[in-house]
Amino acid sequence: MRKWGFKKKFCVYASIFLATFLLIVGCIYTVSENFLANKNKFTFYVPDGAPALACAKLLSEDDKNDGIEYTVVSANGIESHVTSWHESRNADFCVLPLTDASLLLNDGKDYQMLSVLTHGNFFLISETQETTYTNENLTDLVGKKIGFVQLGKLPGLIFRSVLEQAGIEYSICSDLSSCQDDVVNLINIQATSAVKGIGYDLFVMPEPQVSAKIENAGFYEVGNVQDLYGGGYAQAVLVAKRSVIERGVDVVESILTKLRTNSQFLTEKAPTDILSTIQIHLKKGVTSVFTQTNLTAQTVSRCGVYFIDGETAKREVIATIERIQSVDEKAVKTFSENFFI
């Protein structure tokens, strides 16, 4: 009986050991399999709006087997895709406003810049077309009450730099009641607040909202922020993880090759096709700022979309950062050499 009991216990222990061993082997196999499967998979995040237009060719030629997952997300919160504490959750490729890139990735430790994709899409609109504002008559803005979309972000900083270089004083006001007659009054607003008859002399806002206001709400374009700046400014940049750049030369070059011909793609494709390719890649729950009504060929042409590779754009990016720092030195940080390829 003792011998039989010993054999019985041995069989039980052996069965447990074998089951445990097989479980461990299975786990190792699964982890290895997943690692190998994910080794050549990359994530690419781009904010809706002009940056999405800048990536339209990439999105349209998305091959489910190419190892790249493209996602169009809301412009609000795009920085969260490069700031996760868990490195593996951060985007392999991400399109960011220049200001966000400078504040979060300026040391070049984790990400490097591959290119500049957009160069500004902000315009001045008014209820009347009595005056068109250029660098020759900017002083006419003194005393005006301007509702500015994204006043605290890159477009607002750029506009403030224009005023400062022209030697024109301005005030950032909390509301219309705090405006003054001897300065340019800037008030941060939402695009939906730009309506007639509420006390503003001008609004500064981006495409496609500008075209919608002109077409549907009776506003007139009376100025171009990009022209006031001097021909456009580095607005949205494409960055990639250093680790991806180091091991994914082929995928990086494939992406850049398509981006280089994106402008031609935008001129050749119908707006409805461009809209469709953006919508297909929208993150669940996100609604694009573009619609079948407001995405026209004219709107596309006014979004400042053109590609400049990272090496060529380096000087432009540095100059833009320096100009912003002259307005607010805390709004951006200087890029280290490591940020540039």
Side-chain angles (χ1 to χ4, degrees):
M1 292 294 293
R2 284 186 177 181
K3 188 175 183 181
W4 171 248
F6 172 77
K7 289 183 177 180
K8 185 176 181 181
K9 286 183 179 181
F10 176 79
C11 290
V12 170
Y13 290 141
S15 298
I16 293 174
F17 173 78
L18 180 61
T20 303
F21 176 76
L22 292 175
L23 179 62
I24 293 172
V25 170
C27 289
I28 293 173
Y29 175 80
T30 301
V31 171
S32 300
E33 186 179 52
N34 288 338
F35 173 78
L36 293 172
N38 291 324
K39 185 177 180 181
N40 293 315
K41 286 187 177 180
F42 304 93
T43 55
F44 188 115
Y45 288 90
V46 55
D48 185 37
L53 289 180
C55 298
K57 182 177 176 64
L58 275 177
L59 301 179
S60 72
E61 297 182 6
D62 181 12
D63 180 352
K64 299 303 181 182
N65 298 315
D66 66 1
I68 308 173
E69 181 181 3
Y70 297 99
T71 308
V72 179
V73 298
S74 171
N76 296 321
I78 182 63
E79 69 280 357
S80 67
H81 295 288
V82 295
T83 56
S84 174
W85 66 271
H86 200 304
E87 191 273 339
S88 64
R89 296 176 184 171
N90 286 324
D92 294 306
F93 299 88
C94 192
V95 181
L96 292 168
L98 179 63
T99 44
D100 285 348
S102 79
L103 291 172
L104 302 171
L105 312 174
N106 62 297
D107 60 7
K109 178 182 178 181
D110 298 316
Y111 286 88
Q112 290 181 295
M113 185 183 78
L114 296 178
S115 63
V116 175
L117 300 182
T118 68
H119 296 77
N121 61 329
F122 273 68
F123 299 84
L124 287 72
I125 61 173
S126 173
E127 296 179 27
T128 69
Q129 56 183 146
E130 294 176 1
T131 305
T132 297
Y133 298 93
T134 67
N135 285 309
E136 282 67 46
N137 66 343
L138 270 183
T139 53
D140 290 346
L141 289 174
V142 174
K144 295 292 190 294
K145 303 170 183 176
I146 304 177
F148 206 114
V149 177
Q150 297 184 30
L151 178 59
K153 296 185 178 181
L154 178 60
L157 292 165
I158 289 294
F159 190 74
R160 288 166 59 189
S161 78
V162 169
L163 295 176
E164 290 198 4
Q165 289 212 342
I168 299 173
E169 292 190 24
Y170 62 87
S171 176
I172 298 176
C173 308
S174 57
D175 52 41
L176 289 169
S177 65
S178 59
C179 293
Q180 307 168 49
D181 294 331
D182 57 349
V183 298
V184 178
N185 300 283
L186 304 174
I187 307 167
N188 189 58
I189 65 165
Q190 298 296 319
T192 52
S193 300
V195 296
K196 287 185 174 182
I198 60 174
Y200 291 91
D201 298 294
L202 301 162
F203 294 103
V204 182
M205 56 197 310
E207 286 289 9
Q209 290 92 334
V210 167
S211 290
K213 295 294 182 183
I214 293 172
E215 294 295 324
N216 305 320
F219 280 89
Y220 300 91
E221 181 190 326
V222 294
N224 182 321
V225 174
Q226 292 67 235
D227 289 345
L228 294 176
Y229 179 82
Y233 49 88
Q235 183 183 36
V237 297
L238 172 62
V239 300
K241 284 181 178 177
R242 290 182 65 95
S243 58
V244 171
I245 294 172
E246 291 168 0
R247 73 177 173 88
V249 176
D250 291 342
V251 72
V252 171
E253 187 53 42
S254 174
I255 286 173
L256 293 179
T257 297
K258 293 177 182 178
L259 289 174
R260 290 187 183 102
T261 57
N262 187 76
S263 293
Q264 180 181 349
F265 173 84
L266 292 177
T267 60
E268 293 175 347
K269 291 294 182 180
T272 51
D273 294 334
I274 297 171
L275 177 61
S276 177
T277 198
I278 291 174
Q279 290 178 329
I280 289 172
H281 292 85
L282 281 172
K283 182 179 180 180
K284 186 176 181 180
V286 175
T287 301
S288 178
V289 296
F290 296 120
T291 66
Q292 291 187 351
T293 302
N294 67 29
L295 186 57
T296 65
Q298 181 183 17
T299 302
V300 172
S301 68
R302 287 158 56 86
C303 279
V305 175
Y306 56 94
F307 174 93
I308 300 181
D309 68 71
E311 184 177 356
T312 304
K314 177 180 177 180
R315 181 179 298 178
E316 174 192 0
V317 166
I318 292 174
T320 302
I321 291 296
E322 290 177 346
R323 188 153 167 178
I324 293 172
Q325 286 176 325
S326 69
V327 174
D328 184 349
E329 62 180 12
K330 295 182 179 180
V332 289
K333 293 181 180 179
T334 300
F335 287 112
S336 77
E337 281 296 320
N338 290 333
F339 181 71
F340 303 100
I341 294 179

